[in-house]
Amino acid sequence: MTTPTGAAANRRTFLSLLGLGAAAVAGGGLLAGCSEKSAGGGATQNLDRLAGLLPEQRALTLDIPKPDIVGTRPVPDGYSRFPANLFDAITDKPGTSGQQISAMMPAWGPAPPSGANNAYLTAVNAELGTPIDFSVQDGNTYAEKLGAILGARDVPELLCVPGWEINKLPRFADAVGALFEDLTPYLQGGAVAAYPMLGTFPTGAWRHACWNERLMAIPNPTDGPFPWMLFQRRDLLTQLGLAAPKTIDELFEIGRQVTDPAKGVWAFDDIFPIVQMLHKAPGSKEGWRLKYDGTPEFKYETAEFKQAVEFMAKVYQAGLVHPDIVASKGADSKQLLQSGKILFKQDGTGMWQPMQAEQQKVTPGFDIQPVPLFSATGGDPLAWGNDEPISYTFIRKGLGKDRVEELLRVVNWCSAPFGTREFDLREYGVEGVHHTRTADGPSKTELGFKEIQNQYFFVSGRSPVIQPTPQTPNFVQDLLTYSNNTVRHLEKDPWEGLKFEMPAKYKAAAVPTEDKITDIVRGRRPISDLDAVVSEWRSGGGDEAREMLGTALSDGK
C-alpha cells in the first residue's frame, strides 16, 4: 500500500454516495431460497452481545518503535521517520501446501501485471511459501462483480469485500452464511494466539466482522474515521491573497472571486456531501439521527439538508462548478485540481499525500491542504465518520481445517505491522527493484508504482498507523493535527453497537433518489420538488427503514 490512507481514500470517496452501483443487483436477491423476511425487511445484529466470539487483543513482543505523534482514537498514531532497524515478525513460511491460493480484490487505475510477469508478486509469494493468484477487479464496479460471483456461488478462497460495498448487496448476511467459513473456532478468545498479527487488531474492528452471530471475516481496521475533507489549492489562494474560508458565506464569496471562465478557472468540483456536513445534516448509518422525541429521521427530512440543497443549488446557479463536472459524472476532478482549473475539491484523505508528492515535482510550490472544518449554521462543527473497517477478508466455506489454517497463516503474514520486514516487503517490494533506500526511508521506483497495487493489503488487515512519507515530510504532522482537531466533533451514532442489513426496498431506492436530488441541486428541477422527492423516498422504503431503526433502539440494544 502506497500510504496507509490509500485504501481508506476509496472507502471515503464512496461512503456517502448511497449505493453507487447498487442498481445492478438491487432488483434481485443474491441467493435463492433464503428467508424472505431477511431479504425484504432487513435484519439487526447486536454487536455488544457478541463479545464472547471475539479474539483477545494482544500486543506483540517485537521491539516496534513508539509513534512520534499519538492519535486521539479512532485516529491512528503516526510516525515521522522510518525505524533504523526492521524486525522479522514471522520466521517460518506460512504456506506449507504449495497449493496456489485464489483471491479477488479491487484496484483503482491501471491493473498491475499478473503472475510471473510481476516481480513484486513473485517476491512476496516466495516469502509466503504458497503463492496467491489475484483476480484484480475494477474498484469502480466492484459491487457488480461481487453481486455476480455471490449470486453464482462461485467465490475464491480469499475474497475481499470493502466495507462501503456491503450496503449495496441485498441479502448479504444470507450470502455470508451460505458461502463463507465460520472463523469463530479458529480465532475466538485465546485461539488467535496462533495468528499473533491478527491478535493486535482493535476489538472494535472484530465486532464488525460478525454476521449471523458468528465471527465470519478478518477485518482490515480503518486508518482514519473521516469520509471527506475539503481540499484547497493553498498555494494558488495565497497568490490571490486569500485564506481558507471559515464560514459558508466566505466559501461562496471566495468561490465567486476565484472563478474566471476566461482563464479556464472555476472554484469547485461537486462538493455537495461536504456542504451537507458543514450544514450539520446527519451522517450516521448513511444519514440517520434521532429527533428530540427519540424517533429516527433521515437527512432528507431535516432542515439542515434542505439548507445544504439550497446552498449547493446557488453554487451551481452562480456557475462556480467546473463545467466538465456539470456535464459529466466521469470528469477527472483530481486532474482539474492539479492543473489549477479548480481550487477546491472534496475527497478522502488518501488523495492528499500522493497528489502532493507527485505534483510538487511538476509545479514548484504546489500545496494542497484541507480546509479546517467549520459549521455553516453556528456553534461547533459536525464531522461525519466512524471506526468501521476498510474491508473484510472472507474464506470460502468447505476447504477443510488444514487449508483454512494455512490461509489464516498467510493472512497473518500479510498483516505484519509497520517496523517489520514483512510490512516493508508488502508495502515497498524488493529493494533495488521496487524501491531505493534513502536516508529518509524507501522511495518507490517506476516499476514499484506499476506492480504494487495493494494486492496483499486487500487480503489482510493490520493495526493501522500513519507511516512516514519522505517526499512529503510535513504530511504526518499536518494530517494528525487536522484529524486530532476534527475528531472532537465526530458525530455520535445512536445505533453504535448495532449492525443492520437494511431492507431491500430501501436499498433499491437509494440511487434513484440521489439522482433526483442531483437534478435539483444542479438546477434541472426546481427546489420546490424536494418535498415530493422525499415523500416518494419515504413510501419507497424510507419509512420501512425508519421502523426498523426505531425498533432496534426500543428493543434495548
Side-chain angles (χ1 to χ4, degrees):
M1 189 179 178
T2 304
T3 69
T5 49
N10 299 298
R11 169 182 181 270
R12 295 176 181 123
T13 299
F14 292 100
L15 187 63
S16 67
L17 299 186
L18 288 177
L20 179 62
V25 294
L30 289 175
L31 295 171
C34 296
S35 77
E36 206 53 43
K37 181 178 180 182
S38 64
T44 304
Q45 183 173 234
N46 188 322
L47 302 180
D48 291 336
R49 296 174 184 164
L50 303 179
L53 302 179
L54 307 182
E56 293 178 0
Q57 188 173 14
R58 299 164 174 236
L60 292 176
T61 57
L62 297 172
D63 189 18
I64 301 296
K66 295 186 181 302
D68 300 302
I69 306 171
V70 176
T72 303
R73 300 293 180 260
V75 174
D77 298 332
Y79 291 84
S80 59
R81 55 190 177 276
F82 284 91
N85 299 303
L86 300 175
F87 297 87
D88 285 314
I90 300 166
T91 54
D92 297 327
K93 292 185 185 300
T96 54
S97 69
Q99 179 184 346
Q100 185 169 264
I101 299 168
S102 60
M104 189 177 104
M105 41 96 34
W108 289 262
S114 59
N117 295 319
N118 188 316
Y120 167 68
L121 298 181
T122 300
V124 178
N125 282 338
E127 291 298 312
L128 294 177
T130 295
I132 300 180
D133 179 35
F134 289 98
S135 173
V136 179
Q137 302 294 325
D138 183 356
N140 295 313
T141 57
Y142 200 63
E144 287 86 340
K145 181 64 177 179
L146 286 170
I149 66 168
L150 293 174
R153 298 174 178 251
D154 182 20
V155 297
E157 291 177 292
L158 296 178
L159 177 66
C160 170
V161 180
W164 63 88
E165 302 289 19
I166 289 173
N167 286 337
K168 305 173 189 177
L169 300 168
R171 305 173 72 172
F172 182 70
D174 292 337
V176 169
L179 300 177
F180 300 113
E181 189 72 26
D182 177 4
L183 301 179
T184 312
Y186 299 92
L187 299 173
Q188 183 179 19
V192 77
Y195 314 100
M197 309 304 142
L198 306 187
T200 66
F201 294 1
T203 299
W206 285 111
R207 290 201 319 165
H208 290 287
C210 293
W211 277 266
N212 309 314
E213 300 189 347
R214 302 297 289 173
L215 184 61
M216 298 299 298
I218 301 149
N220 195 335
T222 184
D223 44 19
F226 309 116
W228 299 114
M229 291 180 175
L230 179 61
F231 287 99
Q232 56 174 318
R233 277 292 302 270
R234 188 168 67 175
D235 54 327
L236 297 182
L237 290 172
T238 299
Q239 290 175 20
L240 295 170
L242 299 171
K246 297 180 180 178
T247 68
I248 200 71
D249 291 337
E250 286 183 10
L251 180 64
F252 184 85
E253 179 59 25
I254 291 173
R256 191 188 61 77
Q257 291 182 51
V258 301
T259 297
D260 189 345
K263 295 181 179 179
V265 176
W266 284 263
F268 305 114
D269 76 341
D270 184 2
I271 60 171
F272 186 40
I274 280 285
V275 168
Q276 294 175 51
M277 188 170 70
L278 294 178
H279 282 85
K280 297 195 274 195
S284 295
K285 296 294 185 282
E286 306 296 334
W288 290 92
R289 72 180 180 192
L290 295 179
K291 295 192 291 186
Y292 290 113
D293 63 2
T295 58
E297 67 175 348
F298 193 62
K299 64 180 182 179
Y300 296 161
E301 306 168 291
T302 67
E304 293 92 337
F305 183 80
K306 186 172 184 180
Q307 291 170 346
V309 168
E310 291 170 345
F311 177 83
M312 199 67 214
K314 183 173 77 167
V315 167
Y316 272 100
Q317 186 177 18
L320 307 185
V321 178
H322 196 285
D324 289 357
I325 303 294
V326 178
S328 170
K329 291 182 179 179
D332 189 347
S333 56
K334 287 187 176 68
Q335 177 58 40
L336 294 174
L337 185 70
Q338 291 169 181
S339 60
K341 300 301 183 183
I342 59 174
L343 271 66
F344 295 93
K345 171 176 167 48
Q346 74 163 40
D347 212 310
T349 312
M351 184 196 83
W352 186 356
Q353 190 278 333
M355 182 181 289
Q356 179 64 41
E358 184 65 27
Q359 293 304 309
Q360 66 190 12
K361 297 185 292 186
V362 178
T363 305
F366 182 92
D367 184 18
I368 55 170
Q369 290 285 329
V371 174
L373 190 64
F374 61 83
S375 167
T377 57
D380 290 335
L382 177 74
W384 289 354
N386 59 60
D387 63 350
E388 295 179 12
I390 296 169
S391 60
Y392 302 89
T393 299
F394 293 89
I395 294 178
R396 190 172 72 212
K397 179 180 281 190
L399 297 175
K401 182 174 182 289
D402 289 346
R403 183 61 164 177
V404 171
E405 290 176 344
E406 180 178 35
L407 295 177
L408 287 173
R409 291 195 301 272
V410 167
V411 173
N412 180 68
W413 188 100
C414 295
S415 302
F418 176 77
T420 65
R421 287 189 175 88
E422 292 83 359
F423 178 98
D424 200 65
L425 178 61
R426 191 200 76 190
E427 198 83 353
Y428 299 106
V430 178
E431 183 175 358
V433 178
H434 300 104
H435 72 270
T436 56
R437 209 84 189 179
T438 70
D440 296 323
S443 178
K444 278 188 181 177
T445 63
E446 184 176 343
L447 184 65
F449 282 110
K450 178 181 178 181
E451 294 192 341
I452 303 172
Q453 292 287 337
N454 301 333
Q455 293 97 319
Y456 299 92
F457 170 85
F458 272 119
V459 292
S460 69
R462 76 280 178 266
S463 290
V465 298
I466 307 302
Q467 69 187 67
T469 55
Q471 309 94 329
T472 52
N474 297 325
F475 171 71
V476 174
Q477 181 67 64
D478 288 348
L479 172 60
L480 288 177
T481 297
Y482 175 92
S483 298
N484 282 339
N485 286 335
T486 304
V487 76
R488 297 178 293 133
H489 306 296
L490 199 62
E491 182 181 22
K492 304 300 183 185
D493 181 356
W495 295 275
E496 175 65 28
L498 295 175
K499 184 184 218 175
F500 296 101
E501 176 90 12
M502 299 302 283
K505 187 178 179 183
Y506 170 80
K507 290 184 179 184
V511 171
T513 304
E514 285 291 292
D515 288 345
K516 294 171 188 175
I517 292 172
T518 296
D519 286 341
I520 293 172
V521 165
R522 298 192 179 193
R524 297 189 287 261
R525 294 178 63 168
I527 291 179
S528 58
D529 280 3
L530 181 61
D531 289 343
V533 170
V534 174
S535 180
E536 293 169 4
W537 169 85
R538 289 185 59 181
S539 62
D543 284 341
E544 188 176 347
R546 184 194 330 280
E547 181 179 359
M548 175 182 171
L549 293 170
T551 300
L553 287 181
S554 64
D555 286 347
K557 292 181 70 172

